[in-house]
Structure formats: structure tokens, C-alpha cells
């Protein structure tokens, strides 16, 4: 029994549909991954968790002065609704929210550049913005080939700074509004919150010699809206399924856990829920191996290691021994490895990303028809993951120290906004 990139890619093709957090499709994908793991003779279960979700019934934006035009918008999920009949507000473009702009946002519908991060949201809320507008895509997008992105006011924004009315629009339209000197807007938004259910698919193969040491494999299987998420990240999901098949036959010395995480795209919610639910066993975890993004035909391999410099050197040595190209470095990676590192568990994230012009992520182009991923390229990361897994599992003494360097710890804290929250707490 050996791993098969062909079999992995076939499974990827079967699951190449949009799988947004808490959707029926995400559930369908979970059930299929569960059935695949069980069919390999491995004990597997679904572990559900609750996600704060939002539904948008209606969203509308009309420029009313000095010209009149309605623009296509999407409402942020979990945003505040406008009063019945909407609101009329002055419009203000605050660019990237520097102090020179923030003094002018009070009581206005404020457009900012691109992404609504925690810092920008905090400043807009504290300075009294009446509504927030963002844009996505690029100014040269063709409407027929792109979508107006659907976004969510995540808890990391709303928990600390409250809610607001928030809309997203296309970059081209945002540029037109600014260019034509829009002064006043009419905005309507009807949104409601609800608790959604997402799922992790969890499988276990008991170790034959050192069952008390646990190596876990992770990959998220959800996608964002409009994306079939084949590259990000059904590719990683099917790679760890092949590892499961391999170790179901070639029993590991250490206990191996295989987790397919839901709702990663909403802020690593699946892995955060998993770490919380399994708190009492985390001291047994010696390594987490995550695969997020793979199979790009034109691309490059990398492996950020969240651990010590010695762990990084060890993984780099293995890749050299294997003769495979892989840029191994000490760094964090925005994926399910983060909650593990946060708990002091070293993690390696293997990935193969597409090079510029051959990587499409988080929109409708992450699709099999885009033709930038293939089975041979998927095999590269599959082989690297298998080699790493076999070597660490086969080691007499576990070769990676259960430790996170100060540098990685700092980056993880920043990523999880712990640093910001600490400073905010000190100021109060
Ligand atoms: Zn991903």
C-alpha cells in the first residue's frame, strides 16, 4: 500500500464545490470525508461546533448627491441593520484610516481601502462612523467574470468595538464614487444574526509503541463564497486523507490524529474549537502537521515551522535528505497551525503555492476549470508530508522539542490580537 496522488485528486474532484462555513455544502463535504476515513478502516467522528453567523436579507446603496446612481453592494453578515426605510448619510472617503482622516468620519458613511481589519474597525468605531463601506476586487475587473465579495463582521471586531452598518462593493464602483465626488448616500441593510453549526472531521489511529505521544495532521476543508476551494484547500484535505490511508495500513508507532477543520476561512474557527474541546490531551501532542494550499502546477514549495530554530533546521534537513525543493523557515502561517502553536505545540505547515499569474485564491477562479492545479503537483506536497510523517513517527526519541521560540510566540500573539488586546487593556 502506498499513497496515490491520483486517488487523492479524484476525491478532490468529487468535492470541488463551494463549501462555505455552516452551509449545507460544508456539511456534505464533512460527511464525505468522514465516510472516506471510515472506509479505510479508521475510527472517525464528526465534532460539531457553533459559529456566530449572519444572514443578509437586503442591501442597497444609492448615491443621492451630487448625482444619482445605485451601486451593487453586499451587506456584511452580522452587521447592524438600518432602520426601516434606510438611512441618508454624508459620504466620506477615509482611505486607510490615518489620523488626518479619522477626525472627519463622525456621523458619515465612511469608505476605506479594501479590507476591514481590526485596527481600522476600532478607529472607525471610536471616531463615530455611522456606516462602513469597503471594496473588493480590482478596478479592472470584468463584471461578468467576478463577484462582489460577501464578508462578515467577525467577533474579533464586534466583541470589543460593537456593531455597525457595513457594506461591501466593487473596487470599480468605489473609484467612480470618489472620482465623481459623491457627497450623500442612501443606504438600506436588513441583516439578522443566528448561530450556525460547522464541523470538524476527526480520525484517530492509535500508536503501536508510543500511543501517549500524539502527532496530528490538519487541513481545512471549507471554502469562501464563490470559490470551489480546490487549491485552498481541498488539495490539503485530500493529501492528509492519503496519509490516513497509508498509516491505516502501516501502523504508526505514535498515535496519529487526522483533523479536517471547518470554518477556517472565518478565522480558524474549526481548529480553535478543536483545541478548546481537546484541552485535556494537548500536553500529549508533540507535533501538528498542517497542509493548506497545494497542487499548483507552476509554483513553489515552502514549510513555515512554528517551533524552535532547531525544529526548523531538522525539517530543512529532512527536505534536503529527500532531495526535494522546499523553502523551510521559522515563521507563522495563517492557518490551523496557529491555535496549536498558541498552546505550545510545534507545527509545520507544508504547502505548494502557485506563482504569480498561476494562483487564484478566495474567489471564483479557485476552480478546476481554471487549470492551474494538477495531480503531479499535488504529489510533491503529498510526498513531502509522507516523508516528514514517517521520519518523525519512526524516531526513537521524538526529534522536535515541544517548544515555541520567543519570536514565533510574539508573531502568534500578534496574529491572535493578544498584543493589541493587552495594550488596550493597559490604556483603560
Ligand atoms: Zn486555506
Amino acid at each position: 500500500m502506498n499513497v496515490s496522488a491520483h486517488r487523492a485528486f479524484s476525491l478532490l474532484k468529487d468535492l470541488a464545490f463551494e463549501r462555505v462555513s455552516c452551509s449545507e455544502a460544508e456539511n456534505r463535504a464533512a460527511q464525505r470525508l468522514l465516510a472516506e476515513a471510515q472506509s479505510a478502516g479508521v475510527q472517525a467522528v464528526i465534532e460539531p461546533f457553533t459559529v456566530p453567523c449572519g444572514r443578509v436579507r437586503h442591501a442597497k446603496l444609492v448615491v443621492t448627491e451630487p448625482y444619482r446612481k445605485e451601486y451593487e453592494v453586499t451587506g456584511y453578515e452580522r452587521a447592524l441593520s438600518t432602520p426601516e426605510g434606510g438611512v441618508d448619510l454624508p459620504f466620506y472617503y477615509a482611505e486607510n484610516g490615518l489620523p488626518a482622516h479619522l477626525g472627519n468620519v463622525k456621523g458619515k458613511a465612511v469608505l476605506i481601502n479594501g479590507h476591514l481589519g481590526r485596527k481600522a474597525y476600532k478607529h472607525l468605531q471610536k471616531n463615530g462612523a455611522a456606516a462602513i463601506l469597503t471594496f473588493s476586487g480590482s478596478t479592472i475587473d470584468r463584471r461578468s467574470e467576478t463577484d462582489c465579495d460577501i464578508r462578515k463582521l467577525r467577533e474579533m471586531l464586534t466583541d470589543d468595538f460593537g456593531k455597525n452598518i457595513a457594506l461591501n462593493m466593487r473596487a470599480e464602483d468605489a473609484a467612480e464614487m470618489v472620482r465623481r465626488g459623491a457627497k450623500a448616500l442612501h443606504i438600506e441593510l436588513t441583516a439578522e444574526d443566528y448561530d450556525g453549526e460547522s464541523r470538524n472531521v476527526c480520525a484517530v489511529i492509535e500508536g503501536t509503541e508510543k500511543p501517549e505521544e500524539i502527532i496530528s495532521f490538519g487541513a481545512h476543508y471549507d471554502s469562501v463564497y464563490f470559490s470551489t476551494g480546490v487549491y485552498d484547500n481541498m488539495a490539503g484535505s485530500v493529501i492528509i486523507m492519503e496519509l490516513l490511508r497509508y498509516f491505516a495500513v502501516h501502523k504508526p508507532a505514535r498515535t496519529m490524529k487526522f483533523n479536517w477543520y471547518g470554518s477556517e476561512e472565518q478565522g480558524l474557527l474549526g481548529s480553535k474549537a478543536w483545541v478548546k474541546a481537546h484541552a485535556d490531551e494537548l500536553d500529549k501532542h508533540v507535533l501538528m502537521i498542517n497542509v493548506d494550499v497545494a497542487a499548483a502546477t507552476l509554483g513553489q514549495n515552502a514549510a513555515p515551522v512554528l517551533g524552535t530554530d532547531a525544529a526548523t533546521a531538522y525539517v530543512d534537513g529532512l527536505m534536503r535528505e529527500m532531495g526535494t525543493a522546499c523553502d523551510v523557515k521559522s515563521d507563522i502561517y495563517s492557518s490551523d497551525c496557529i491555535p496549536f502553536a498558541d498552546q505550545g505545540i510545534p507545527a509545520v505547515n507544508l504547502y505548494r503555492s502557485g506563482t504569480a499569474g498561476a494562483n487564484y485564491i478566495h474567489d471564483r477562479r479557485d476552480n478546476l476549470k481554471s487549470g492551474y492545479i494538477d495531480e503531479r503537483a499535488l504529489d510533491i506536497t503529498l510526498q513531502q508530508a509522507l516523508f516528514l510523517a514517517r521520519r518523525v513517527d519512526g524516531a526513537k526519541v521524538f526529534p522536535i522539542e515541544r517548544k515555541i521560540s520567543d519570536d514565533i510566540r510574539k508573531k502568534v500573539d500578534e496574529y491572535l490580537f493578544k498584543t493589541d488586546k493587552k495594550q488596550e487593556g493597559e490604556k483603560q
Side-chain angles (χ1 to χ4, degrees):
M1 153 67 201
N2 211 333
V3 292
S4 161
H6 181 71
R7 182 174 51 201
F9 210 80
S10 304
L11 179 58
L12 175 147
K13 285 180 184 163
D14 282 359
L15 293 171
F17 49 82
E18 186 190 282
R19 307 172 301 275
V20 175
S21 167
C22 297
S23 65
E24 189 38 52
E26 191 197 42
N27 185 20
R28 211 174 348 128
Q31 301 301 334
R32 176 64 191 274
L33 292 168
L34 177 73
E36 287 288 321
Q38 288 172 337
S39 76
V42 174
Q43 181 203 333
V45 294
I46 297 256
E47 295 186 4
F49 57 95
T50 303
V51 175
C53 291
R55 206 176 275 120
V56 174
R57 301 268 183 219
H58 170 70
K60 185 176 179 175
L61 183 153
V62 183
V63 170
T64 52
E65 277 177 55
Y67 65 99
R68 192 172 179 90
K69 183 172 176 181
E70 179 170 351
Y71 290 99
E72 179 188 357
V73 289
T74 55
Y76 271 67
E77 294 174 347
R78 299 187 73 248
L80 276 189
S81 295
T82 55
E84 189 111 331
V87 281
D88 292 280
L89 296 168
F91 171 70
Y92 183 67
Y93 175 41
E95 301 180 5
N96 49 346
L98 291 182
H101 287 117
L102 289 171
N104 299 321
V105 305
K106 196 172 172 59
K108 295 175 187 163
V110 181
L111 173 70
I112 59 158
N113 290 342
H115 175 72
L116 183 56
R118 193 173 185 276
K119 204 160 262 172
Y121 191 72
K122 171 179 148 182
H123 287 147
L124 292 173
Q125 290 297 85
K126 298 221 156 164
N127 286 279
I132 299 170
L133 311 174
T134 58
F135 60 82
S136 55
S138 83
T139 55
I140 59 162
D141 283 348
R142 286 189 203 176
R143 273 167 202 273
S144 60
E145 293 169 5
T146 53
D147 305 283
C148 187
D149 203 9
I150 297 172
R151 296 177 173 180
K152 176 160 123 179
L153 281 188
R154 296 181 181 180
E155 310 92 272
M156 57 105 170
L157 302 179
T158 58
D159 281 358
D160 290 332
F161 311 116
K163 292 200 172 191
N164 206 338
I165 299 160
L167 301 169
N168 185 54
M169 61 195 305
R170 290 170 177 271
E172 181 192 0
D173 292 340
E176 184 178 287
M177 272 172 50
V178 172
R179 190 167 56 242
R180 293 182 68 179
K183 280 195 169 57
L185 310 180
H186 176 77
I187 289 172
E188 295 172 17
L189 178 61
T190 314
E192 64 194 30
D193 292 359
Y194 70 98
D195 282 338
E197 189 177 75
S198 184
R199 296 146 197 89
N200 295 326
V201 182
C202 310
V204 186
I205 303 175
E206 286 294 325
T208 52
E209 289 167 37
K210 294 176 187 280
E212 71 288 355
E213 288 185 15
I214 302 171
I215 299 166
S216 87
F217 300 88
H220 76 87
Y221 70 94
D222 65 314
S223 77
V224 298
Y225 282 110
F226 309 115
S227 165
T228 66
V230 284
Y231 164 64
D232 177 22
N233 180 39
M234 193 45 70
S237 294
V238 300
I239 284 173
I240 73 162
M241 185 64 77
E242 278 305 306
L243 298 184
L244 174 141
R245 290 179 192 285
Y246 180 89
F247 288 106
V249 175
H250 309 275
K251 296 287 184 213
R254 295 171 168 89
T255 296
M256 288 187 171
K257 298 206 165 190
F258 299 83
N259 294 325
W260 291 268
Y261 297 110
S263 301
E264 187 266 357
E265 301 286 10
Q266 305 300 322
L268 320 180
L269 302 184
S271 50
K272 283 177 181 168
W274 197 92
V275 164
K276 208 171 170 187
H278 293 259
D280 57 351
E281 64 171 75
L282 295 181
D283 59 343
K284 295 183 189 161
H285 283 245
V286 290
L287 181 67
M288 192 268 192
I289 298 174
N290 194 53
V291 187
D292 190 359
V293 174
T297 307
L298 302 176
Q300 53 275 318
N301 314 310
V305 177
L306 300 84
T308 60
D309 289 347
T312 305
Y314 172 78
V315 176
D316 188 43
L318 285 186
M319 294 297 133
R320 286 165 190 256
E321 179 185 329
M322 208 188 151
T324 186
C326 188
D327 182 14
V328 182
K329 59 196 168 208
S330 289
D331 204 355
I332 64 163
Y333 188 76
S334 178
S335 186
D336 296 308
C337 46
I338 296 269
F340 284 82
D342 185 40
Q343 295 292 331
I345 301 162
V348 179
N349 191 93
L350 289 167
Y351 72 96
R352 177 174 176 80
S353 60
T355 195
N359 69 330
Y360 306 110
I361 201 165
H362 296 170
D363 62 37
R364 67 158 86 174
R365 296 169 300 176
D366 185 350
N367 188 308
L368 278 173
K369 284 186 228 133
S370 300
Y372 65 107
I373 67 167
D374 76 87
E375 143 183 345
R376 267 175 47 182
L378 184 135
D379 194 45
I380 298 168
T381 311
L382 173 57
Q383 295 299 336
Q384 290 177 338
L386 179 65
F387 191 82
L388 172 62
R390 288 185 57 191
R391 291 298 294 264
V392 291
D393 179 58
K396 293 290 173 204
V397 176
F398 200 72
I400 293 176
E401 195 185 357
R402 198 184 180 291
K403 203 176 160 192
I404 306 293
S405 72
D406 292 345
D407 177 53
I408 296 293
R409 163 56 61 196
K410 192 163 165 271
K411 288 179 176 170
V412 168
D413 285 354
E414 277 166 8
Y415 183 92
L416 295 171
F417 303 107
K418 287 187 178 181
T419 319
D420 285 355
K421 287 183 188 228
K422 194 163 169 267
Q423 283 168 359
E424 285 154 14
E426 280 163 4
K427 271 184 216 154
Q428 277 162 14

